[in-house]
Amino acid sequence: MRKKIVAGNWKMNTTVAEGIQLTKEILLETNRIPKGVDLVIAPPFTHLFPVSRLLENQKAVSLAAQNCAEEPGGAFTGEVSATMLASVPCEYVIVGHSERRTYYQENDRVLLSKINQVLANGMSLIFCVGERLEDREKDMHFQVVASQLREVICPLDPADYQRVIIAYEPVWAIGTGKTASADQAQEMHEFIRSFLAQTFAEAAQVTPILYGGSCKPSNAKELFSCPDIDGGLIGGASLTADDFLAIASSFA
Ligand code: PGA
């Protein structure tokens, strides 16, 4: 059985006080979530430590960071290392989000270094892939996603691969209100799973593959009912406890 995961990516939103409040609201209602669904929240760096204290002594909600440095430590002003994140403790780190690829020019080499840091520090990885609108219009979406996986996920040691979660996020759907149709998403998720199976064989059958891009309470049920969609990476709708929990309750 594959893990079902709904992860909230708060991006650069909320103050520390607001983040603590949102976490408390989520924790109060985790009994609404169906058994077997794991919740993950990814607040900004400044919130991680106080939020981690709230998450002690419970298992329903895990903590993720949105990014980490590619270097292990040292004179890199403003960066946050994977070792620091593991010491919070964070369980997951998001790597390869399209906003990082686009606004901070994170290429495959940088992403591979970050992934190695995450895995070397014992955390799990939420690795984002997805095509831009022009790629889809040129019918290049499968090639683009295959290349994103080939360069940074396929080189991983099979033992480390157990800690990889994939998030398919078509760039044209992120924060735009446009969602991929359930058919478009399922088609890509199935492609990703079979592509990964060429390298990781049976292990690819249990890799959680999350959908991201304007996922909300009104469309989560249809998306999550697809056989290869194992949950969601939620941006805007994860900033409201009610919407986030409603999405997480959308599994059949
Ligand atoms: P969105 O963001 O849900 O606001 O579209 C998703 C993401 O970027 O992870």
Side-chain angles (χ1 to χ4, degrees):
M1 256 271 282
R2 286 201 291 273
K3 253 197 194 172
K4 304 231 178 287
I5 299 172
V6 173
N9 174 10
W10 296 2
K11 308 193 180 181
M12 197 169 70
N13 293 297
T14 72
T15 62
V16 175
E18 288 163 350
I20 287 173
Q21 179 60 27
L22 178 53
T23 306
K24 286 182 176 166
E25 287 170 16
I26 293 168
L27 284 172
L28 272 178
E29 304 266 344
T30 50
N31 54 351
R32 276 169 58 183
I33 306 308
K35 246 188 148 45
V37 178
D38 293 347
L39 294 183
V40 177
I41 52 176
F45 285 141
T46 43
H47 306 25
L48 290 173
F49 189 71
V51 167
S52 77
R53 297 288 81 95
L54 297 174
L55 301 184
E56 279 173 350
N57 305 319
Q58 59 82 51
K59 286 202 165 86
V61 185
S62 306
L63 191 61
Q66 298 174 19
N67 182 29
C68 74
E70 57 178 307
E71 304 83 5
F76 298 98
T77 303
E79 290 291 283
V80 175
S81 74
T83 309
M84 293 170 188
L85 296 173
S87 76
V88 169
C90 288
E91 212 173 301
Y92 299 87
V93 182
I94 300 171
V95 176
H97 193 282
S98 71
E99 287 152 16
R100 303 290 321 170
R101 293 177 190 261
T102 307
Y103 305 143
Y104 304 96
Q105 289 80 46
E106 293 190 0
N107 58 24
D108 291 338
R109 184 198 59 75
V110 170
L111 298 180
L112 188 54
S113 307
K114 291 187 175 201
I115 287 173
N116 286 331
Q117 289 299 321
V118 171
L119 296 171
N121 281 281
M123 295 178 287
S124 296
L125 178 71
I126 301 176
F127 183 67
C128 305
V129 296
E131 80 284 359
R132 297 165 306 165
L133 184 60
E134 58 260 46
D135 303 322
R136 187 163 275 269
E137 282 172 351
K138 287 188 212 136
D139 210 20
M140 294 283 289
H141 41 296
F142 293 118
Q143 278 105 310
V144 168
V145 169
S147 148
Q148 291 168 338
L149 294 169
R150 187 184 305 111
E151 298 304 321
V152 295
I153 298 298
C154 295
L156 296 179
D157 186 289
D160 287 337
Y161 176 75
Q162 319 276 343
R163 284 183 283 139
V164 173
I165 292 158
I166 303 290
Y168 168 57
E169 301 204 304
V171 179
W172 47 271
I174 296 177
T176 57
K178 274 190 206 165
T179 318
S181 70
D183 286 348
Q184 283 173 323
Q186 165 56 28
E187 180 185 43
M188 182 59 89
H189 282 229
E190 192 179 358
F191 170 80
I192 290 170
R193 195 177 303 290
S194 59
F195 184 83
L196 291 170
Q198 292 168 25
T199 305
F200 299 107
E202 284 300 298
Q205 301 312 320
V206 292
T207 303
I209 307 180
L210 315 182
Y211 170 79
S214 301
C215 184
K216 37 191 185 266
S218 58
N219 58 27
K221 213 178 192 83
E222 195 187 356
L223 287 160
F224 295 176
S225 67
C226 298
D228 286 290
I229 301 184
D230 307 308
L233 180 56
I234 320 298
S238 72
L239 294 170
T240 317
D242 246 3
D243 283 354
F244 184 56
L245 293 161
I247 292 170
S249 309
S250 299
F251 291 95

